[in-house]
Amino acid sequence: PKLNFVQFLSAKDNYWFWIIVAVSVLSFVSIVFIPENQPPVSYIRYVFAFVLVAFLPGYCLTKTLFPKPTTLDPVERITFAIGLSFALTTLMGLFLSFSSLGLTLSTTLPTLTSMVVVLVVLALLRSYKIQ
């Protein structure tokens, strides 16, 4: 039986959506509020920033393009996620550098976070559509 959207959101198979949203928000908050010159605490900032740049955009795009879990095995999904993340982040940086906004932390972080949120919502909607 097809679930309604609220039931689909709370289903056990869709915890990935909530994890990605939480990690995106934690990444944003840690990059904004943790100073980079306090070594023990700043490592948290570096880890979350690395995950935000090197994994989340590509993983969300991979989930959007291949919504069925059986389409790709986990190694392929992780490989696509890392490769696509670097490609998306590079393109985003290129577009920002040529825009009037410029390429700074105050433009890159909201753009990257919003790109991840849009992609994860698209992935969720695509998963809901094929259920």
Side-chain angles (χ1 to χ4, degrees):
K2 188 167 179 167
L3 302 171
N4 66 27
F5 192 69
V6 174
Q7 291 172 331
F8 184 75
L9 268 176
S10 60
K12 199 173 195 178
D13 294 338
N14 297 318
Y15 285 160
W16 59 269
F17 173 78
W18 297 110
I19 291 170
I20 290 174
V21 169
V23 170
S24 298
V25 169
L26 284 173
S27 298
F28 187 87
V29 168
S30 70
I31 292 169
V32 169
F33 292 113
I34 295 176
E36 70 179 295
N37 58 359
Q38 293 180 347
V41 180
S42 64
Y43 297 140
I44 295 170
R45 175 188 171 143
Y46 298 145
V47 168
F48 277 116
F50 180 76
V51 170
L52 182 65
V53 169
F55 186 72
L56 289 182
Y59 184 77
C60 295
L61 184 59
T62 303
K63 285 290 274 187
T64 303
L65 296 174
F66 305 105
K68 293 182 183 176
T70 57
T71 308
L72 298 173
D73 63 59
V75 174
E76 290 174 329
R77 196 169 288 275
I78 290 170
T79 304
F80 272 124
I82 293 170
L84 287 172
S85 287
F86 285 121
L88 287 172
T89 305
T90 302
L91 285 173
M92 184 207 61
L94 183 68
F95 289 136
L96 281 175
S97 69
F98 286 122
S99 75
S100 61
L101 298 172
L103 186 61
T104 63
L105 180 62
S106 60
T107 59
T108 305
L109 185 60
T111 306
L112 187 59
T113 306
S114 59
M115 181 173 61
V116 168
V117 169
V118 167
L119 286 172
V120 77
V121 168
L122 285 174
L124 183 72
L125 292 173
R126 185 95 193 267
S127 296
Y128 178 68
K129 196 173 190 180
I130 67 161
Q131 76 160 342

